[in-house]
Amino acid sequence: MKYIKPTKFSYLPKFLMPLDLLGLFECDPFGNSLLFRRIIIGLVGWLTYARYTVVNRIQIEGTENLENLPINNVLFLSNHQTYFADVIAFFQIFCAVKWGFQNTIVPPVYLLGPRARQYYVAASETMQKGFVPRVFAAGGALTIERSWRAEGREVQRSVDTSANDKIAKALAHGWVVSFPQGTTTPYAPVRKGTGYLIKNNEPIVIPVVINGFRRAFDKKGLRFKKRNTLLTVQFKAPLSYSADDTVDDLVAKVRHAIEQDSPEWAQEQS
């Protein structure tokens, strides 16, 4: 893990940037307005809040591991259960932590001033299907072309070489959520790209384990499947790794940390 000075971008000339005390003209590394992103995150947060606290019940653990993190170069790695409900819950929690909440998102006053320096990695094909995904994408999606899967089918195509550069820029600016399995299928292998990402950027890695989202929502995470479901989100202590670890070592550590080691029954069926 190494210190990287947080990047800052603005629509204003550099000599005028200190005058923007409210951050009205601040943007992210990709030219998107942080003010607009705060509005999107706040709006989506208000519209989805009841899904986690009224229709279902969310149980959060380990936000003490987030309280003293730097504002950038932090990578959250989680198992994946739905396309959108998982990451919306993470963004709600990140904003609550910014306001000093611990292991709760009640009440939602934090949505009056949401955290904008946060991103999530998503398949480009997912974020282009309809109006709602496009709105979610505006809230901080880092879209990438998956080389192994498209339209729900296994494929083989060239690796998106821009993906790591895009994620590196986002890490230099803020926090990034990634789902290293690249699919909502449980116990799927962790992609080696995650190991290269850690090795090249040396971020603080926070493993996250979620459960209940697959039972509560459909695959996209937009429609209810079963109400009154307990949703759990556990943030673990930062992952311990060193520069001597190989990519395979890092992949194994991530797989174990997010509790996706293949169980015995799955090994027997394979």
Side-chain angles (χ1 to χ4, degrees):
M1 289 145 311
K2 63 181 179 181
Y3 171 76
I4 297 179
K5 183 179 180 181
T7 53
K8 186 173 183 179
F9 303 88
S10 176
Y11 297 125
L12 296 175
K14 192 171 183 178
F15 70 94
L16 291 178
M17 286 173 59
L19 300 179
D20 186 21
L21 300 178
L22 298 178
L24 300 179
F25 297 97
E26 194 173 354
C27 61
D28 65 20
F30 313 102
N32 304 305
S33 168
L34 290 192
L35 176 61
F36 178 70
R37 284 186 51 193
R38 287 189 181 94
I39 293 172
I40 292 295
I41 293 170
L43 179 62
V44 171
W46 285 109
L47 292 176
T48 59
Y49 179 75
R51 298 160 67 89
Y52 304 104
T53 57
V54 179
V55 180
N56 298 294
R57 181 169 62 90
I58 192 166
Q59 178 179 297
I60 306 165
E61 298 179 12
T63 58
E64 62 272 12
N65 294 316
L66 279 58
E67 292 175 353
N68 297 314
L69 293 176
I71 66 171
N72 71 325
N73 207 33
V74 180
L75 179 64
F76 293 84
L77 298 178
S78 174
N79 61 313
H80 201 15
Q81 296 196 339
T82 72
Y83 291 169
F84 300 115
D86 311 2
V87 76
I88 292 174
F90 290 164
F91 273 32
Q92 294 258 13
I93 296 167
F94 294 165
C95 294
V97 169
K98 174 188 172 184
W99 278 58
F101 289 38
Q102 189 174 82
N103 293 330
T104 184
I105 57 172
V106 180
V109 293
Y110 54 85
L111 292 173
L112 298 174
R115 193 179 196 280
R117 286 177 176 245
Q118 51 194 23
Y119 304 84
Y120 63 99
V121 180
S124 58
E125 64 189 62
T126 302
M127 308 312 295
Q128 296 171 359
K129 294 180 179 178
F131 175 74
V132 173
R134 290 178 185 273
V135 171
F136 290 164
L142 301 172
T143 56
I144 63 172
E145 294 284 347
R146 292 184 296 184
S147 60
W148 67 92
R149 193 170 181 84
E151 303 293 338
R153 300 187 302 272
E154 299 296 325
V155 300
Q156 286 187 342
R157 60 187 178 194
S158 58
V159 176
D160 182 1
T161 56
S162 68
N164 281 343
D165 291 340
K166 192 181 294 185
I167 298 172
K169 286 183 180 179
L171 281 171
H173 188 251
W175 293 358
V176 174
V177 175
S178 181
F179 302 99
Q181 294 166 286
T183 175
T184 57
T185 303
Y187 305 113
V190 170
R191 297 290 165 177
K192 283 193 174 183
T194 299
Y196 286 108
L197 186 65
I198 296 172
K199 201 164 184 64
N200 293 338
N201 296 282
E202 298 181 38
I204 295 174
V205 178
I206 303 294
V208 190
V209 178
I210 63 172
N211 202 8
F213 290 81
R214 184 178 287 110
R215 290 191 297 274
F217 305 103
D218 67 351
K219 189 172 184 178
K220 289 185 177 180
L222 299 178
R223 296 180 179 178
F224 296 116
K225 191 164 68 175
K226 184 178 180 182
R227 298 169 184 260
N228 299 316
T229 300
L230 176 64
L231 311 173
T232 62
V233 180
Q234 180 189 10
F235 296 95
K236 295 188 175 182
L239 185 71
S240 177
Y241 67 91
S242 72
D244 295 328
D245 287 331
T246 66
V247 168
D248 289 337
D249 291 337
L250 293 170
V251 165
K253 286 185 177 183
V254 169
R255 183 177 62 247
H256 182 70
I258 64 173
E259 300 181 8
Q260 290 299 295
D261 288 318
S262 183
E264 291 184 5
W265 60 263
Q267 295 175 11
E268 293 172 356
Q269 292 178 359
S270 60

